[in-house]
Amino acid sequence: MTGSTPSPFTADDYRARMERAVRAAADAGLAGLLVAPGPDLVWLTGYAPPAVTERLTLLVLAPGHDPVLVVPALEAPDAARAPGASALALRDWTDGKDPYAATAALLGAGGRFGISDNAWALHLLALQRALPGSSYASLTEALPMLRAVKDARELELMAAAGAAADAAFEEIRTVRFAGRRESEVGADLARLLREHGHEQVDFTIVGSGPNGANPHHEMGERVIGHGDMVVLDFGGLKDGYGSDTTRTVHVGEPTEEERRVHDVVREAQEAGFRAVRPGVACQEVDRAARRVVTDAGYGAYFIHRTGHGIGVTTHEPPYMIEGEEQPLVPGMCFSVEPGIYLPGRFGVRIEDIVTVTEDDGRRLNDTTREMVVVG
């Protein structure tokens, strides 16, 4: 297993996050935030309900008021044991009572609130009925950078997750590819991620030969053959923080064209990484990587954004894409993953997670980006 068990976040950590969220809400002109079960609730309080049901669970954050977690009475003991519980007040409700009236009493009439993207429509519509003058905006729309800037402890966890994914790659490159199904290699990857400390595997993309030309091909029953290019994209959560890395390997010696395409992607990935520094717009990372691919004549075959944010989920804001003018800030973590996809033939993608430092960027993945030949 990679690394040791980190010390847990404390109630003071969660209190500081909730205070930060309240300030961000006020700056965005919101009357408060309503946070349903999901990654935002875990990040703000450390609480993940034992099961997500139709019963309302909602964290209410508003300027000038203490945080309140509205929970079903039968789940209140679990909520009280959450690491951030001492930084908020619990308000439980029993079956047969109206949780929306209780929640509405915590909110100002006619306000505009940010609400978790994964909140149930059932709950949002009921709150609108209880507060007919209220309006709502998704948290991703209203506060896209809420979780984007990681503190020192979070960066340690991100680096550990990246190192664990790297260790998985170093082992997978030694296994036999030829004559095995994509699904078998994918199962090896999932096992290795868990052996190196991941509690959750989110994806194991194994795209061999023509399947590699589909960026989101996960894995199937195709038998990998000699002469195949194989895209390996895998990641998940380790100690609550995400990993995501891609390397493209070749079964046996590649052709001159395959090496050329791989070199172009490697150069594009390097250009994207070199563009990372504080104050630069996210779109400049995409532009730098895309320019290399386009200049090499493969622009039509780079068909996705250059990167996405990562943290307590493996995909979150910010996004490295044309039109995203959000400036990079120290502590942001995101992928840099250009690719070239030649339909019916093969694909190449190379991906590292990068964090913004005070001066430039730092990779959280450090396995070779050169062509790796496997058996």
Side-chain angles (χ1 to χ4, degrees):
M1 179 175 292
T2 302
S4 58
T5 302
S7 57
F9 291 109
T10 67
D12 285 342
D13 293 323
Y14 292 111
R15 180 180 292 107
R17 290 177 185 180
M18 287 188 280
E19 290 172 352
R20 173 175 149 192
V22 168
R23 289 194 300 271
D27 290 344
L30 298 172
L33 302 179
L34 306 175
V35 185
D40 292 316
L41 185 63
V42 172
W43 184 77
L44 287 164
T45 69
Y47 177 54
V52 178
T53 72
E54 73 283 357
R55 292 184 174 93
L56 179 72
T57 295
L58 203 64
L59 174 67
V60 179
L61 299 175
H65 299 276
D66 292 333
V68 177
L69 182 61
V70 178
V71 295
L74 75 169
E75 293 174 5
D78 293 309
R81 288 191 290 270
S86 63
L88 50 79
L90 286 178
R91 180 166 298 185
D92 62 8
W93 61 275
T94 57
D95 286 352
K97 302 294 185 180
D98 183 355
Y100 306 107
T103 304
L106 303 171
L107 306 174
R112 180 169 176 78
F113 301 94
I115 190 165
S116 298
D117 295 13
N118 55 336
W120 286 23
L122 169 75
H123 301 318
L124 176 57
L125 294 171
L127 284 170
Q128 287 178 317
R129 288 193 295 271
L131 287 170
S134 62
S135 61
Y136 302 85
S138 76
L139 280 189
T140 294
E141 174 190 317
L143 299 177
M145 296 297 111
L146 180 62
R147 303 193 318 256
V149 177
K150 277 64 176 176
D151 63 25
R153 283 282 317 290
E154 291 182 294
L155 289 173
E156 289 177 8
L157 292 169
M158 290 292 302
D166 282 358
F169 176 73
E170 294 294 3
E171 291 195 46
I172 201 69
R173 62 183 287 186
T174 67
V175 310
R176 181 171 57 85
F177 278 70
R180 302 179 69 212
R181 293 181 175 86
E182 293 174 343
S183 59
E184 294 175 292
V185 176
D188 285 345
L189 273 172
R191 172 181 55 79
L192 288 168
L193 285 172
R194 292 191 177 95
E195 287 180 0
H196 288 285
H198 282 65
E199 69 272 9
Q200 178 177 313
V201 176
D202 284 351
F203 48 89
T204 53
I205 292 173
V206 180
S208 65
N211 288 342
N214 175 1
H216 279 173
H217 174 82
E218 291 193 357
M219 55 185 175
E221 296 308 299
R222 183 181 186 275
V223 175
I224 301 169
H226 189 83
D228 278 347
M229 196 84 86
V230 185
V231 178
L232 303 172
D233 183 351
F234 51 96
L237 299 183
K238 180 182 186 294
D239 298 316
Y241 282 77
S243 70
D244 185 1
T245 188
T246 307
R247 295 293 185 263
T248 303
V249 302
H250 196 277
V251 185
E253 286 300 318
T255 65
E256 183 178 335
E257 181 191 20
E258 288 169 333
R259 280 199 179 277
R260 183 171 66 253
V261 171
H262 191 279
D263 284 346
V264 170
V265 174
R266 179 173 52 80
E267 291 165 10
Q269 207 270 345
E270 178 69 16
F273 169 67
R274 293 297 176 193
V276 175
R277 60 185 182 276
V280 167
C282 291
Q283 67 182 359
E284 294 302 329
V285 178
D286 182 85
R287 287 174 176 176
R290 200 168 299 276
R291 187 177 303 117
V292 173
V293 176
T294 300
D295 288 349
Y298 293 100
Y301 304 106
F302 181 6
I303 56 177
H304 55 72
R305 64 197 177 203
T306 292
H308 58 82
I310 185 170
V312 294
T313 59
T314 48
H315 286 74
E316 61 187 44
Y319 298 103
M320 307 301 114
I321 189 171
E322 181 67 31
E324 178 51 81
E325 298 181 351
Q326 166 68 42
L328 299 181
V329 177
M332 283 182 175
C333 297
F334 49 86
S335 66
V336 178
E337 52 176 307
I340 293 174
Y341 309 94
L342 304 179
R345 300 183 62 206
F346 64 89
V348 176
R349 183 165 63 257
I350 300 173
E351 173 186 18
D352 293 326
I353 299 304
V354 173
T355 186
V356 185
T357 68
E358 294 298 325
D359 300 312
D360 44 32
R362 175 168 66 95
R363 298 182 194 269
L364 300 186
N365 296 105
D366 202 30
T367 56
T368 182
R369 285 165 285 278
E370 300 291 337
M371 173 78 78
V372 170
V373 174
V374 298

